[in-house]
């Protein structure tokens, strides 16, 4: 295992496979997954379907592909899709939803959260001469750009009930659903229960090198299987990757609270500085999104100075930054990084 000398807080995707994970991958039984013959893929799909309380699950190369296949399976060209503001689908998927599925987004709510009332108000009936009919509502839990916040389950339930009433499908982008489950103590199956279709990632906080899964009814998985092929995402001996995912579920899932504790440590230090504006109530899991106060350097300048001081993080706006904790950073490193960021933010402008 190699680890760079930076304290890398850019994302939980930078995590490296551990020795144990590499050994499991090397030893994985494999076969041709397009023939349904990869035992490791099959085991992972069954395990995740079980954990999410769904009939079946399907392996996909990335979270973006999972989201794109979900969207393609649940909508038609010209449809309207309702999502929370700052959603991954709107910001981080290169416009794929418009390009692949020909849908438009209606963005509602604040900081990634919204209510059933807001959903129903934004809903456009299908069959109307003018309206783009709403066929899908999408929830992100935890919400990345919202600062890793947990989507309130009571809202998820009323939104999905309203969706069913209006014949609208529901999709949960749960790339970090494991974090939501860890912090709330609610099993992933309960969080996924209201939704027709759920995506989860193995390559974020769980630390596997690649892979996401979709889970839902058997009939819906058949549809997703076809679109996965259409999008070029069907693989062959992908069990080598699946074995990394199975290992992560076995050994890394239970350590997510460490990441949450480390994020809380960083947040407490940042919030104490007058150069930083941080709503501590948003720091619920492993992500911290914060703003630089007037008079502090801007986000780009902080990123450059932090890198010189050995800390990596991402700008999320002109004066906004994101920090993410994960299995390759220790509590001590997180405390040191927070000190570094505060001292940079408190430097006066030249
Ligand atoms: C990272 C992420 C994705 C996409 O995953 P990739 O594997 O990077 O394509 C989708 N949704 C959310 C909420 C994410 O954080």
């Amino acid at each position: 295992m190699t680890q760079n000398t930076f304290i890398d807080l850019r994302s939980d995707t930078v995590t490296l496979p551990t020795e144990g994970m590499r050994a499991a991958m090397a030893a994985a039984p494999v076969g041709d997954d397009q023939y349904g013959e990869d035992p490791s893929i099959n085991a992972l799909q069954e395990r995740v379907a079980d954990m999410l309380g769904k009939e079946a699950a399907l392996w996909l190369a990335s979270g973006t592909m999972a989201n794109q296949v979900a969207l393609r399976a649940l909508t038609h060209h010209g449809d309207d899709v309702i999502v929370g503001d700052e959603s991954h689908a709107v910001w981080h998927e290169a416009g794929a939803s418009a390009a692949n599925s020909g849908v438009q987004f209606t963005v509602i709510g604040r900081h990634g959260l919204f209510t059933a009332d807001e959903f129903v108000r934004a809903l456009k009936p299908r069959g109307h001469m003018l309206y783009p009919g709403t066929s899908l509502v999408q929830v992100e839990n935890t919400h990345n750009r919202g600062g890793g916040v947990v989507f309130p389950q009571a809202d998820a339930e009323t939104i999905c009930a309203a969706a069913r009433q209006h014949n609208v499908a529901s999709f949960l982008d749960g790339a970090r659903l494991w974090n939501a489950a860890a912090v709330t103590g609610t099993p992933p199956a309960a969080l996924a229960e209201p939704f027709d279709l759920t995506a989860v990632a193995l390559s974020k906080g769980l630390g596997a090198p690649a892979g996401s899964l979709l889970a839902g009814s058997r009939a819906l998985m058949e549809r997703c299987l076809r679109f996965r092929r259409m999008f070029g995402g069907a693989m062959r001996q992908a069990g080598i990757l699946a074995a990394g995912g199975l290992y992560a579920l076995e050994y890394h899932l239970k350590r997510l609270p460490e990441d949450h504790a480390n994020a809380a440590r960083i947040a407490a230090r940042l919030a104490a500085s007058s150069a930083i504006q941080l709503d501590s109530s948003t720091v619920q899991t492993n992500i911290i999104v914060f703003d630089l106060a007037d008079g502090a350097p801007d986000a780009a300048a902080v990123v450059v100075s932090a890198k010189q001081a050995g800390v990596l993080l991402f700008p999320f706006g002109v004066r906004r930054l994101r920090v993410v904790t994960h299995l390759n950073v220790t509590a001590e490193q997180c405390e040191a990084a927070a000190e570094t960021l505060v001292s940079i933010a408190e430097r006066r402008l030249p």
Side-chain angles (χ1 to χ4, degrees):
M1 187 174 81
T2 55
Q3 181 66 65
N4 62 34
T5 53
F6 290 103
I7 301 173
D8 194 344
L9 302 173
R10 288 173 300 169
S11 176
D12 44 11
T13 58
V14 302
T15 46
L16 299 174
T18 59
E19 303 269 351
M21 184 180 282
R22 283 176 181 271
M25 293 171 73
V30 295
D32 192 325
D33 181 46
Q34 287 201 39
Y35 302 156
E37 291 172 6
D38 189 303
S40 300
I41 288 281
N42 291 342
L44 177 64
Q45 289 178 164
E46 277 164 34
R47 174 103 193 252
V48 169
D50 201 46
M51 291 177 83
L52 295 176
K54 304 291 187 196
E55 277 177 8
L58 181 69
W59 159 267
L60 294 119
S62 70
T64 300
M65 186 173 277
N67 283 359
Q68 289 306 310
V69 166
L71 208 77
R72 185 69 182 81
L74 295 172
T75 65
H76 293 101
H77 280 56
D79 283 357
D80 176 62
V81 175
I82 294 179
V83 294
D85 77 334
E86 301 273 316
S87 105
H88 192 279
V90 174
W91 278 82
H92 292 226
E93 297 181 20
S97 306
N100 293 330
S101 297
V103 296
Q104 73 168 34
F105 284 126
T106 296
V107 172
I108 62 171
R110 238 178 126 244
H111 303 315
L113 308 183
F114 60 93
T115 63
D117 277 352
E118 288 170 313
F119 162 64
V120 171
R121 259 182 274 139
L123 197 86
K124 295 151 209 77
R126 278 186 276 185
H128 190 278
M129 196 171 74
L130 306 177
Y131 296 150
T134 305
S135 57
L136 178 65
V137 60
Q138 195 166 307
V139 161
E140 190 176 314
N141 192 13
T142 66
H143 201 283
N144 173 25
R145 296 180 66 91
V149 294
V150 175
F151 201 94
Q153 192 62 11
D155 287 328
E157 279 163 14
T158 50
I159 289 163
C160 291
R164 248 186 303 282
Q165 223 172 44
H166 290 91
N167 201 22
V168 169
S170 55
F171 172 59
L172 172 61
D173 176 358
R176 294 191 181 85
L177 193 69
W178 314 118
N179 298 83
V183 74
T184 59
T186 311
L191 296 174
E193 197 277 330
F195 295 89
D196 296 323
L197 187 58
T198 298
V200 289
L202 303 166
S203 58
K204 298 268 165 87
L206 289 192
S212 278
L213 290 101
L214 284 169
S217 71
R218 218 171 285 288
L220 191 48
M221 284 311 104
E222 287 298 320
R223 228 174 125 67
C224 290
L225 181 71
R226 175 172 160 74
F227 289 121
R228 182 181 74 173
R229 173 77 185 173
M230 195 184 283
F231 286 1
M235 298 184 186
R236 303 295 180 178
Q237 288 74 29
I240 288 184
L241 293 168
L246 283 165
Y247 183 94
L249 288 172
E250 192 64 34
Y251 297 102
H252 294 171
L253 189 60
K254 53 177 170 263
R255 58 154 306 286
L256 290 179
E258 281 178 46
D259 297 343
H260 301 171
N262 284 338
R265 274 190 187 92
I266 295 174
R269 183 65 192 95
L270 297 183
S273 168
S274 58
I276 286 167
Q277 290 163 346
L278 168 61
D279 176 359
S280 300
S281 72
T282 65
V283 185
Q284 300 171 7
T285 55
N286 68 328
I287 300 177
I288 306 150
V289 173
F290 61 97
D291 291 318
L292 295 153
D294 290 344
D298 66 16
V302 169
V303 167
V304 169
S305 299
K307 185 171 183 182
Q308 286 162 354
V311 176
L312 302 180
L313 75 168
F314 271 144
F316 250 41
V318 178
R319 305 193 65 75
R320 180 164 292 185
L321 293 155
R322 185 189 72 168
V323 155
V324 187
T325 58
H326 52 76
L327 87 149
N328 286 153
V329 288
T330 63
E332 295 70 38
Q333 287 178 311
C334 289
E335 270 160 17
E339 280 309 324
T340 300
L341 292 175
V342 166
S343 71
I344 292 167
E346 289 180 353
R347 268 179 216 162
R348 292 194 188 273
L349 291 171

